[in-house]
Amino acid sequence: MLLNIEHVKKSFAETEVLRDISLHVEEGEFVALLGPSGSGKSTIFNLIGGIMEPDDGAITLNHKVIHGKRGLIGYMPQQPSLFPWRTVLENIVLVQELTGKPNRQEAKEWLEKVGLQEFENAYPIELSGGMKQRVAFIRAMLSKQNLLCLDEPFSALDEFTRISMQKWLLSVWETNRKSILFVTHSIEEALFLADRIYILTKRPTMVKEEVIVPFARPRDESLLNTEPFFHLKQKIFKQLKDELDEGL
Ligand SMILES: Nc1ncnc2c1ncn2[C@@H]1O[C@H](COP(=O)(O)OP(=O)(O)OP(=O)(O)O)[C@@H](O)[C@H]1O
Ligand SMILES: [Mg+2]
């Protein structure tokens, strides 16, 4: 098991956010997190990324406790957080500068793959929200860590760019098989991409359900129009809706 989160709790002052979270990601696995807004998905990522520490419970990577340790995972935060004084290319190679030798050629190839080759010398202020997301995404991909944590990486993209980025992510993942933990609000996206999905309750948050996604790989868009896909999508939709309806 690559990442293991066991009985993690986290509160902010009076607000109990994570009540009891246990989840894991196997080597080479693609796992999605689905849950209501404010349920603590980004908080889980901040804990894994070492930006915060859990109040209780344990987070291990390769069986080692990683509380408060940064730089062990490839992390794409929900806000792309690019440095405004660095160009696109220099933002991408930043993590590599910190950990070793920056590979600008590789960064350029990735920019081309996501259609941003003309922007390598642009500054973040010149980019749209979706472009910034793509840059932050490449930076996470190039971090050379075995686990990538992607927090709603495609949320700012239009429908067509999103589908092409999803397909592209799948093809990259199918060749290099890094482990991915992926937050999304889109049930369809989770079902299209993931091997397993954790559905979270609302705050104070626990894991409500673990769904094993049964669809064969490689997957393509035709899957989205099949009866089993639609059926599972409806089932998860109902679980999330029940969660939100409760107590209203
Ligand atoms: N550093 C912090 N200090 C205080 N409260 C925080 C902090 N970080 C998160 N919270 C609170 O924790 C709760 C969960 O926030 P979080 O951003 O993890 O939710 P989320 O599931 O990622 O939501 P969304 O789907 O909207 O991105 C919210 O109530 C938020 O206000
Ligand atoms: Mg979030």
Side-chain angles (χ1 to χ4, degrees), residues 171-187:
S171 70
V172 171
W173 176 78
E174 264 146 20
T175 48
N176 74 10
R177 286 276 169 164
K178 280 185 193 231
S179 307
I180 297 182
L181 186 58
F182 189 101
V183 170
T184 175
H185 279 285
S186 162
I187 300 171

Side-chain angles (χ1 to χ4, degrees), residues 50-204:
I51 292 160
M52 298 168 180
E53 295 198 35
D55 299 336
D56 200 6
I59 304 176
T60 61
L61 191 68
N62 285 316
H63 308 284
K64 290 197 192 82
V65 175
I66 55 163
H67 302 176
K69 296 211 172 96
R70 300 191 190 192
L72 299 177
I73 59 163
Y75 181 30
M76 177 180 165
Q78 195 164 2
Q79 302 302 333
S81 71
L82 303 175
F83 290 104
W85 59 87
R86 285 186 156 229
T87 65
V88 163
L89 188 68
E90 295 306 313
N91 262 290
I92 291 173
V93 297
L94 175 74
V95 183
Q96 298 174 336
E97 275 177 25
L98 298 175
T99 53
K101 206 170 151 5
N103 186 339
R104 290 188 172 72
Q105 193 47 43
E106 189 184 28
K108 285 182 191 185
E109 283 164 21
W110 282 80
L111 280 170
E112 196 170 331
K113 284 185 211 162
V114 303
L116 291 179
Q117 63 274 25
E118 284 154 39
F119 289 85
E120 66 171 72
N121 295 317
Y123 287 89
I125 199 169
E126 302 168 68
L127 307 180
S128 71
M131 289 171 171
K132 282 186 206 148
Q133 266 193 327
R134 278 179 275 170
V135 173
F137 178 73
I138 296 175
R139 188 168 63 184
M141 291 295 287
L142 290 185
S143 71
K144 306 289 178 218
Q145 306 292 356
N146 289 330
L147 177 65
L148 289 182
C149 289
L150 308 174
D151 197 347
E152 301 193 42
F154 305 144
S155 60
L157 305 180
D158 66 81
E159 184 76 7
F160 297 103
T161 314
R162 180 163 59 242
I163 291 170
S164 84
M165 289 291 288
Q166 287 169 348
K167 288 200 293 193
W168 173 74
L169 173 60
L170 274 185
S171 70
V172 171
W173 176 78
E174 264 146 20
T175 48
N176 74 10
R177 286 276 169 164
K178 280 185 193 231
S179 307
I180 297 182
L181 186 58
F182 189 101
V183 170
T184 175
H185 279 285
S186 162
I187 300 171
E188 202 164 79
E189 182 167 80
L191 282 172
F192 183 52
L193 297 176
D195 296 312
R196 277 187 305 123
I197 303 172
Y198 288 103
I199 301 173
L200 305 178
T201 66
K202 60 180 183 293
R203 214 171 54 233

